[in-house]
């Protein structure tokens, strides 16, 4: 997967509902494809150890087309409020973990959360020792100096993510790579296999409403960008027929509790 620049479905976009309507069938097909099939639309390049090769950029034209089409398709399929699906009832977690309140009503945020700070959009850099064997340099780039790009689709497959989730014997907490605050707890109300398979299908760890620690997470209005309350870029909300799906960079949620 690192040998291929793949399309990121987790890129920043602004809704343009009145355009690109004729492309809805195509983008619905693309958005439902497994990550392995999306490779057919990618640009091949040689792999190296540079961070730029680990950041999923794609081509500007293709990204622009994809961003606009995703927005149109999702907006046609569901009622959106700032890029999120309105659920008739708040999603509730099946349990609390270590005093963490999980699930509940989605919380929106505004651009002020991502205003420039001492270290990019955050006050501090990523922790020196991150979990899952992720790259610190990549984590800092994606989390603190980025609003548009994502780690490679399937990046987590080269880490200890799956092993640690399976060996946890219950929900595992994912912490902000900068602040160490809890952001997601998964799996909740689904099996480990379901959580991992959905993440593999889309190419990034994928969380649902009932797995979000809303005290520390916000979804920005109009873009669906998903961030921490401290300014860490996490990913994007890309709703599907099951509801909100938070497409999250593992490098941004690989912190340790503080």
């Amino acid at each position: 997967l690192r040998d291929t620049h793949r399309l990121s479905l987790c890129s920043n976009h602004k809704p343009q509902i009145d355009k690109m309507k004729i492309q809805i069938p195509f983008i619905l097909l693309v958005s439902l494809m497994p990550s392995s099939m999306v490779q057919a639309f990618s640009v091949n390049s040689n792999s190296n150890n540079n961070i730029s090769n680990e950041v999923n950029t794609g081509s500007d034209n293709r990204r622009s087309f994809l961003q606009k089409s995703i927005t149109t398709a999702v907006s046609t399929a569901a009622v959106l409020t700032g890029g999120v699906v309105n659920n008739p009832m708040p999603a509730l977690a099946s349990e609390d973990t270590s005093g963490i309140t999980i699930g509940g009503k989605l919380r929106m945020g505004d651009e002020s959360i991502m205003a420039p700070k001492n270290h990019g959009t955050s006050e501090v850099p990523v922790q020196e020792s991150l979990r899952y064997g992720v790259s610190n340099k990549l984590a800092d780039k994606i989390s603190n100096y980025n609003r548009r790009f994502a780690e490679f689709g399937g990046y987590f497959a080269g880490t200890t993510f799956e092993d640690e989730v399976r060996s946890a014997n219950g929900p595992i907490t994912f912490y902000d790579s900068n602040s160490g605050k809890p952001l997601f707890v998964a799996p909740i109300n689904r099996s480990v296999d379901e959580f991992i398979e959905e993440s593999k299908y889309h190419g990034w760890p994928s969380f649902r409403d009932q797995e979000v620690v809303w005290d520390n997470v916000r979804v920005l209005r109009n873009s669906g960008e998903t961030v921490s309350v401290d300014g860490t870029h996490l990913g994007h909300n890309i709703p599907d027929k099951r509801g909100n799906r938070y497409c999250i960079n593992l490098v941004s949620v690989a912190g340790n509790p503080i």
Side-chain angles (χ1 to χ4, degrees):
L1 289 171
R2 296 189 184 184
D3 292 335
T4 305
H5 283 295
R6 300 182 55 234
L7 295 177
S8 171
L9 297 183
C10 300
S11 52
N12 191 22
H13 63 278
K14 291 184 178 298
Q16 298 185 19
I17 305 303
D18 59 338
K19 300 179 180 179
M20 311 290 286
K21 290 184 179 180
I22 62 172
Q23 292 155 344
I24 291 174
F26 171 78
I27 195 57
L28 283 174
L29 176 62
V30 172
S31 64
L32 293 174
M33 282 182 180
S35 57
S36 60
M37 293 179 65
V38 179
Q39 260 183 332
F41 298 93
S42 61
V43 180
N44 291 327
S45 67
N46 293 327
S47 175
N48 59 47
N49 293 325
N50 291 334
I51 296 174
S52 59
N53 268 2
E54 293 181 301
V55 178
N56 195 19
T57 58
S59 72
D60 291 338
N61 290 338
R62 188 188 299 106
R63 187 193 308 111
S64 177
F65 165 77
L66 190 60
Q67 290 168 349
K68 293 176 182 178
S69 301
I70 287 174
T71 301
T72 304
V74 172
S75 300
T76 303
V79 177
L80 297 181
T81 302
V84 300
V85 171
N86 289 324
N87 292 324
M89 294 291 290
L92 299 176
S94 60
E95 61 176 298
D96 284 354
T97 301
S98 302
I100 301 170
T101 301
I102 316 160
K105 186 177 180 180
L106 184 150
R107 299 189 190 181
M108 305 295 293
D110 57 43
E111 280 291 325
S112 64
I113 296 174
M114 301 301 283
K117 303 179 183 67
N118 288 332
H119 192 80
T121 56
S122 305
E123 291 291 348
V124 296
V126 297
Q127 298 173 3
E128 291 186 6
S129 180
L130 296 174
R131 299 173 68 182
Y132 314 113
V134 303
S135 164
N136 276 61
K137 290 183 179 180
L138 179 63
D140 203 50
K141 175 71 174 178
I142 293 292
S143 303
N144 299 318
Y145 293 95
N146 164 65
R147 303 290 301 281
R148 299 175 59 191
F149 301 128
E151 66 195 18
F152 266 102
Y155 174 84
F156 69 82
T159 71
T160 62
F161 167 81
E162 182 172 351
D163 289 341
E164 293 197 37
V165 171
R166 290 192 181 281
S167 64
N169 296 318
I172 186 171
T173 303
F174 295 85
Y175 298 91
D176 191 319
S177 291
N178 293 313
S179 70
K181 291 181 180 179
L183 302 176
F184 302 94
V185 180
I188 296 289
N189 292 338
R190 55 175 170 169
S191 70
V192 170
D193 285 340
E194 289 171 328
F195 171 52
I196 291 175
E197 287 306 310
E198 180 171 57
S199 298
K200 286 182 176 179
Y201 183 90
H202 293 287
W204 289 266
S206 295
F207 301 93
R208 295 291 175 170
D209 284 336
Q210 70 271 14
E211 297 167 328
V212 185
V213 181
W214 288 113
D215 286 344
N216 301 324
V217 176
R218 296 291 184 270
V219 176
L220 300 192
R221 302 180 187 279
N222 302 321
S223 70
E225 183 181 2
T226 304
V227 303
S228 78
V229 293
D230 297 307
T232 307
H233 173 82
L234 305 177
H236 283 80
N237 177 27
I238 304 177
D240 59 20
K241 63 182 180 181
R242 294 175 51 201
N244 296 313
R245 180 179 65 83
Y246 305 96
C247 180
I248 302 300
N249 295 289
L250 181 62
V251 296
S252 300
V253 295
N256 297 284
I258 296 177

